[in-house]
Amino acid sequence: MSKKYVAEPFKIKMVEPIKMTTREERIEKIKEANYNLFALKAEDVYIDLLTDSGTGAMSSTQWAGIMLGDESYSGASSYFNLLDSAKDIFGYKYIQPVHQGRAAEKVVMPLLLSEGKIAISNMHFDTTRAHVELTGAKAIDCVVEEALDTTTYAPFKGNMDVERMKELINEYKSENVGAIIMTITNNTAGGQPVSMENMREVYKVAKESNITVIIDAARFAENAYFIKTREDGYKDKTIKEIVREMFSYGDVFTMSSKKDAIVNIGGLIGIRDEEEFYNAVKSRTISFEGFVSYGGLSGRDLEALAIGLNEGINFDYLNYRIGQMEYIGSRLEEENISFQYPVGGHAVFVDAKKLLPQIPYYEFPAQSLAIELYIEAGIRSCDIGSYMLDNDPVTGEQREAELEFTRLAIPRRVYTQAHLDVVVDALVSIKERAHEIKGYEITWQPKVLRHFTSKLKPIDK
């Protein structure tokens, strides 16, 4: 029996029409897009689960805030409203706005990493890995083994493997570990949360070795919700109290605010208390993003972000938000379609390797499934697997991902239960003909972050 759908803690005030297309039209449109879901026109997509980044619906309060945005170049009141909101939630002394998460990474990573250094993470996501490697450093994933078993329950599959992390520090020497990156929630592992205990242990080891800990904070509120509902000692804590403790186990954070702050653009850098590091961040922000008090954002964006940070930590909202994932997961369980279990906070990650075992990693099973979802029902999703991994920067060879996921990323406050049922029904239809589905090969690709712009073609065999 499917989990009961958690009713929306809001009412719908405005609607946006979406276009229905035929199967024949979709076959032609994905071909024109060179089988890259990113190359599709949004108007040709019925249910868009490509990403939860910047795709959420802002509240009436946020839209009202946009009208109050202060567009002064320097020292705008909207900037100070954002500082007040962020400092109150995270407890960090210094906050720097930027235009999105990868901008934060571009500013921060070269200050800590360079050729010969390594970055250890519970799992690097695509832009994080790219910005690590662009400095000449090496990105090493160090997630717990439970994350690699998609069918077995573990409450915190996003955790860092602390013993393995210690071994890496000893192997490479602490002075060569430029940063330890804690990604919360762990997107690449399936949107899986990190426990407070694990964050505490990692920070303790890092401080003993004098290594900076960066928190990749894109989905910090969802991670806090999982701690509250799954970890002993936290059920009576507020989300804000949990967030404050989480961030006490980091020195710096980078954040795409387009996720848990429910805005369409925006990012943050936080520095706990190191003024010298903050001054370096300010200098790089001015070079790449604009003056420090707007960081590549308009005043109205700063205002919406200040409001959204607080809306994103509301427990009733988070209960509904994670409830959507749990509803999809319960339906997939009924249909014996494997996914990263339990569901993550922002998406359901379908196990494409299990659904399409005939497709080897170098023919991209997760991308193949994503393409089939579009053809079947106009649903746009994305690969989180070997296709998303760029070729090895040293050997040039195709890297094999530990997990082959097709990610169904659910935009915040956008889709209803009926939409989610369409998604599951489409996967059921694909499952019935899964043995007929073939893989793809890349016909053109850039050197970095290839999955955004690569061109592919079906393998005919």
Side-chain angles (χ1 to χ4, degrees):
M1 182 177 179
S2 295
K3 184 182 186 298
K4 186 177 179 182
Y5 185 86
V6 178
E8 287 80 359
F10 53 83
K11 60 183 180 180
I12 297 169
K13 200 167 187 176
M14 184 179 75
V15 297
E16 177 184 347
I18 48 181
K19 185 171 76 174
M20 310 288 282
T21 55
T22 66
R23 183 184 184 88
E24 290 71 26
E25 287 173 329
R26 294 192 294 272
I27 288 172
E28 189 58 34
K29 290 183 184 301
I30 194 65
K31 182 179 178 181
E32 290 172 359
N34 293 294
Y35 301 96
N36 187 326
L37 283 303
F38 286 90
L40 287 169
K41 292 182 178 178
E43 65 183 28
D44 295 326
V45 175
Y46 175 50
I47 299 175
D48 202 343
L49 311 183
L50 183 70
T51 181
D52 63 315
S53 180
T55 56
M58 289 200 298
S59 69
S60 56
T61 308
Q62 286 176 293
W63 281 109
I66 280 177
M67 299 305 294
L68 298 172
D70 181 352
E71 303 301 341
S72 302
Y73 183 91
S74 174
S77 59
S78 297
Y79 166 69
F80 291 107
N81 290 341
L82 174 58
L83 294 190
D84 290 344
S85 180
K87 289 178 180 180
D88 176 56
I89 291 170
F90 300 110
Y92 278 30
K93 185 175 181 179
Y94 302 110
I95 299 292
Q96 176 58 59
V98 290
H99 84 273
Q100 64 182 77
R102 70 193 63 176
E105 293 167 348
K106 181 179 180 180
V107 169
V108 168
M109 295 305 181
L111 295 173
L112 297 168
L113 298 166
S114 58
E115 193 161 347
K117 301 267 188 179
I118 68 164
I120 303 171
S121 178
N122 52 338
M123 286 190 100
H124 297 80
F125 197 56
D126 57 356
T127 63
T128 317
R129 182 181 300 277
H131 280 106
V132 168
E133 293 178 347
L134 283 168
T135 69
K138 182 179 180 180
I140 300 177
D141 290 339
C142 194
V143 71
V144 289
E145 288 187 10
E146 296 96 311
L148 307 182
D149 180 358
T150 60
T151 59
T152 301
Y153 178 87
F156 294 102
K157 284 186 174 180
N159 279 356
M160 182 85 78
D161 184 334
V162 178
E163 293 307 311
R164 173 68 178 137
M165 184 187 75
K166 290 178 182 176
E167 292 172 3
L168 288 168
I169 293 171
N170 290 331
E171 177 185 347
Y172 286 91
K173 308 302 179 187
S174 59
E175 61 269 23
N176 295 319
V177 182
I180 291 172
I181 303 170
M182 284 295 286
T183 308
I184 56 172
T185 56
N186 188 330
N187 192 357
T188 309
Q192 296 295 304
V194 178
S195 72
M196 192 75 81
E197 180 184 17
N198 189 248
M199 294 189 73
R200 190 182 303 119
E201 289 178 358
V202 167
Y203 193 69
K204 181 176 183 291
V205 173
K207 293 303 97 181
E208 289 171 352
S209 301
N210 196 30
I211 300 170
T212 299
V213 173
I214 302 173
I215 297 176
D216 180 345
R219 298 175 180 90
F220 76 97
E222 292 169 2
N223 201 87
Y225 174 89
F226 284 121
I227 289 173
K228 180 177 175 66
T229 56
R230 294 182 184 175
E231 191 164 358
D232 290 342
Y234 289 93
K235 70 176 183 178
D236 296 325
K237 300 276 190 182
T238 67
I239 296 295
K240 185 187 285 188
E241 287 171 336
I242 293 168
V243 168
R244 273 292 189 107
E245 183 178 347
M246 283 163 46
F247 281 81
S248 74
Y249 305 128
D251 303 304
V252 179
F253 74 79
T254 58
M255 179 182 177
S256 168
S257 304
K258 297 162 66 177
K259 284 84 168 175
D260 275 357
I262 328 177
V263 289
N264 304 125
I265 196 69
L268 292 174
I269 299 167
I271 299 101
R272 188 201 281 202
D273 55 18
E274 190 179 333
E275 185 175 8
E276 185 178 348
F277 192 84
Y278 174 54
N279 287 332
V281 163
K282 284 197 296 184
S283 295
R284 288 179 62 81
T285 298
I286 292 170
S287 298
F288 299 134
E289 294 288 287
F291 191 62
V292 292
S293 65
Y294 70 92
L297 297 170
S298 65
R300 60 185 73 96
D301 295 323
L302 297 170
E303 198 72 46
L305 175 50
I307 296 166
L309 281 169
N310 283 291
E311 291 187 354
I313 60 173
N314 177 273
F315 178 80
D316 290 335
Y317 155 74
L318 287 167
N319 188 49
Y320 144 78
R321 166 78 177 152
I322 278 61
Q324 284 194 311
M325 313 309 147
E326 292 174 340
Y327 175 77
I328 296 171
S330 68
R331 281 213 57 204
L332 292 178
E333 276 190 281
E334 289 179 344
E335 300 293 345
N336 289 318
I337 296 174
S338 293
F339 60 95
Q340 178 63 294
Y341 176 77
V343 292
H346 69 288
V348 176
F349 290 66
V350 180
D351 191 334
K353 188 183 291 187
K354 284 190 170 68
L355 189 59
L356 305 174
Q358 74 275 18
I359 301 178
Y361 75 91
Y362 50 84
E363 294 178 4
F364 314 126
Q367 178 70 5
S368 300
L369 179 56
I371 291 167
E372 290 301 316
L373 258 178
Y374 178 72
I375 292 171
E376 180 68 32
I379 298 159
R380 179 159 64 169
S381 57
C382 78
D383 166 286
I384 306 291
S386 297
Y387 173 59
M388 187 185 73
L389 282 179
D390 292 330
N391 290 335
D392 188 287
V394 178
T395 66
E397 294 180 357
Q398 171 63 51
R399 293 186 280 198
E400 180 178 3
E402 292 182 290
L403 298 161
E404 298 286 353
F405 288 138
T406 301
R407 185 184 71 177
L408 311 174
I410 310 299
R412 291 161 179 80
R413 304 188 293 206
V414 171
Y415 292 120
T416 66
Q417 180 179 354
H419 289 113
L420 305 187
D421 284 333
V422 170
V423 174
V424 177
D425 291 344
L427 283 166
V428 172
S429 296
I430 291 170
K431 181 188 174 186
E432 293 172 355
R433 57 181 176 83
H435 63 282
E436 302 172 356
I437 297 172
K438 298 175 182 178
Y440 287 79
E441 64 178 320
I442 296 173
T443 61
W444 177 86
Q445 61 183 305
K447 290 182 178 180
V448 179
L449 293 172
R450 70 179 184 189
H451 59 292
F452 289 115
T453 57
S454 289
K455 297 179 181 180
L456 304 96
K457 71 175 183 179
I459 293 174
D460 186 16
K461 65 178 182 181

